[in-house]
Amino acid sequence: MKDIVFATNNKNKLKEMREIMDGLYHVMSLEEIGCHEEIIEDADTIQGNAKIKADFITNRYHIDCFADDTGLEVEALNGAPGVYSARYAGEHCSYQDNVNKMLNALDGVEKRKAVFRTVIALNLEGETYYFEGRCEGQITKEQRGSEGFGYDPIFQPDGFDETFAELGMDVKNSISHRGRATQKLIEFLQKK
C-alpha cells in the first residue's frame, strides 16, 4: 500500500480520511513526517487554502501530498461563513462556538438552505490537481446527534431526516462533501 500525506492538523478530518481511503492508501499525518509548523491559511477561497497547505508540504518536505479545505455556505447568510467556516465565531473558537453563532444568525429564518463544499488539492509528481465535492442540505433549528464534528449536528443533508451527526460515519462518509471529493481523488489515483 502506498503512502500519501494528508496536510492537516485536524485529527477528526485525518480519522475520516483514513476510514475513507482504508485499504487503498496509508494516509500519513503531518506528525508522522515531522511537520509541526502552523500552516497559515490566508487565501480568500477554499481552493486557495487547500493549495497553500499542499504546497507548503511539497516545498518543505519534497513529498507528494494532498490537502483539503471545506466551507459551509448558507444561502440566507449570502454564502457565509464559506472560507471562514472554521473560525466563524472568532480566531480560536470551538466547534460549539461556531454552531451557536450559526443557530443565532438563523434564528427566526425559515429558508435554511446550505451547501458544504470541499476542495482537495493534490500535489503529485510536480503537478497540482483539484477535486471538489458538494453536499446540499439544510441547517436545522437545533443540534441533533453526537457523531462527527464541526457543523455536523446542525447540517441535515438533502434526502435524509437525520443530521450528519446522527447518520453515523459510514453513511456520512459515503454522501458527504469530503467523501465525494475524496472519491474523485481515489479514482484519479487509481488511474495513475
Side-chain angles (χ1 to χ4, degrees):
M1 194 169 5
K2 287 185 178 178
D3 290 340
I4 193 161
V5 175
F6 182 22
T8 185
N9 284 311
N10 184 318
K11 294 194 184 316
N12 293 303
K13 281 187 182 182
L14 181 65
K15 179 178 185 281
E16 205 171 87
M17 200 60 83
R18 283 179 167 160
E19 286 177 16
I20 294 169
M21 296 181 78
D22 186 40
L24 298 168
Y25 279 85
H26 171 246
V27 180
M28 296 174 63
S29 68
L30 293 177
E31 193 173 351
E32 286 175 82
I33 63 166
C35 177
H36 302 287
E37 298 99 328
E38 182 182 355
I39 303 171
I40 306 300
E41 301 172 47
D42 56 3
D44 56 3
T45 65
I46 293 168
Q47 179 173 313
N49 279 339
K51 183 164 175 35
I52 285 171
K53 291 183 274 191
D55 286 352
F56 182 91
I57 298 304
T58 300
N59 295 337
R60 177 95 27 118
Y61 296 90
H62 310 290
I63 50 179
D64 293 333
C65 72
F66 68 96
D68 82 322
D69 198 37
T70 295
L72 175 64
E73 299 169 354
V74 180
E75 197 172 275
L77 302 177
N78 297 315
V83 72
Y84 305 106
S85 294
R87 49 196 183 280
Y88 182 49
E91 200 55 45
H92 299 288
C93 62
S94 68
Y95 292 142
Q96 189 61 54
D97 294 336
N98 285 334
V99 166
N100 291 342
K101 181 171 180 178
M102 177 68 63
L103 290 175
N104 288 335
L106 293 176
D107 189 36
V109 175
E110 286 306 311
K111 293 186 178 176
R112 303 168 80 89
K113 186 172 176 46
V115 62
F116 256 128
R117 289 181 52 233
T118 291
V119 175
I120 295 174
L122 168 68
N123 284 349
L124 185 68
E125 299 165 2
E127 298 290 331
T128 302
Y129 306 91
Y130 298 99
F131 309 91
E132 182 173 344
R134 297 170 57 89
C135 185
E136 298 195 13
Q138 306 286 325
I139 302 299
T140 58
K141 292 183 179 179
E142 72 282 320
Q143 297 181 64
R144 301 194 321 251
S146 58
E147 291 204 32
F149 62 98
Y151 297 96
D152 288 357
I154 60 169
F155 184 81
Q156 181 178 315
D158 287 351
F160 291 85
D161 294 325
E162 301 87 6
T163 65
F164 272 168
E166 294 174 299
L167 286 171
M169 292 303 283
D170 288 345
V171 175
K172 178 194 170 186
N173 288 343
S174 71
I175 64 164
S176 77
H177 46 293
R178 189 170 299 106
R180 289 174 175 165
T182 304
Q183 198 53 49
K184 291 176 184 178
L185 168 70
I186 290 169
E187 287 167 9
F188 176 82
L189 290 171
Q190 286 173 331
K191 290 177 188 169
K192 275 286 195 190

